[in-house]
Amino acid sequence: MGNPPLVLFQNRAPYMSPRGFHSKREGGGEEWPKFNKPLSTLKMASCFSPEQSRSPPAIPQPTPSLSQFKIGLCQLSVTADKERNVAHAKKAIHEAVEKGARLVVLPEIWNSPYSNDSFPLYAEDIEGGSSPSAAMLSEAAHNLKVTIVGGSIPERCGDKLYNTCCIFGSDGVLKAKHRKIHLFDIDIPGKITFMESKTLTAGETPTIVDTEVGRIGIGICYDIRFQELAMIYAARGAHLLCYPGAFNMTTGPLHWELLQRARAVDNQLYVATCSPARDTGAGYIAWGHSTLVGPFGEVLATTEEHESIIVADIDYSVMDTRRSSLPLAKQRRGDLYQLVDIQRLNTQGAN
């Protein structure tokens, strides 16, 4: 017959909840006998093959060197002067570290104006070693012994341009590079039109990187709208998702916080975003509001539109608590749906 269903009887009859049977007389007074026979939601879920809801199976989170630390989100003003932008970002990184940050995140396109006209002019050859922006990030990470998610800059590789985030370990070594997967091509009549694909090429690889402050999944701005990417990162054992991003004055008020909280609560992990500060005289006006969201979807720290450095606490033990209270991974219906990580499958097939 299986487990009995969840039923609720009216009046004085007992009802059964996941905690067991309870009853109470209407209007107060003497309680009816309680039957301590708890339901096991985990047992109920086991027959639904939750492990099959991820293909390949989900990877457990690794134990990071630091499970409690401070994160710094540097919401920076950006000008047309690249040399000034690089020096300004360096100063902000130092200030965040002085405030205790062990992980520092920069905004999307922090060394250049955000425009299709500017991307080719400000693009740097990261792989060829001709990138003053990446060189500064590497030096800062090494000298300050801090992990840096370096926002994003326009990258030139051969005849292609990318919107690229560099991640440096506390030894100053480039640990990973994420090229924006989903290009920002939108047309909202009377509001905003922007086509990144006019100049930029889409990246082809999800990026997840192990650092001393945990396993971090990387997305850039528009990537946050695609929950599949965040789900893949969670299935790969991510503790934290970082999205450098520059939402605009149309979508920012409606979607910026909503999407961050959705990615966090759906996957029960931390989400950090970092935007440029708002410049009302720029061709593209950023929303700002850099934010850290916890694994329960709660906003832990945020700011307004102006230049600001947020330093906030991350504690990965909170994730364990939330996942224990809401054991979603053990309740998924692998008999009904499945998330397929194509890159991992192809890698396994090649081996």
Side-chain angles (χ1 to χ4, degrees), residues 10-12 24-30 32:
Q10 296 180 349
N11 299 326
R12 302 198 308 178
K24 197 169 186 177
R25 296 187 62 178
E26 290 185 356
E30 180 181 356
W32 287 72

Side-chain angles (χ1 to χ4, degrees), residues 73-89:
L73 309 177
C74 300
Q75 183 165 292
L76 305 176
S77 61
V78 179
T79 71
D81 184 341
K82 181 194 280 191
E83 186 175 342
R84 175 267 178 198
N85 293 336
V86 173
H88 191 57

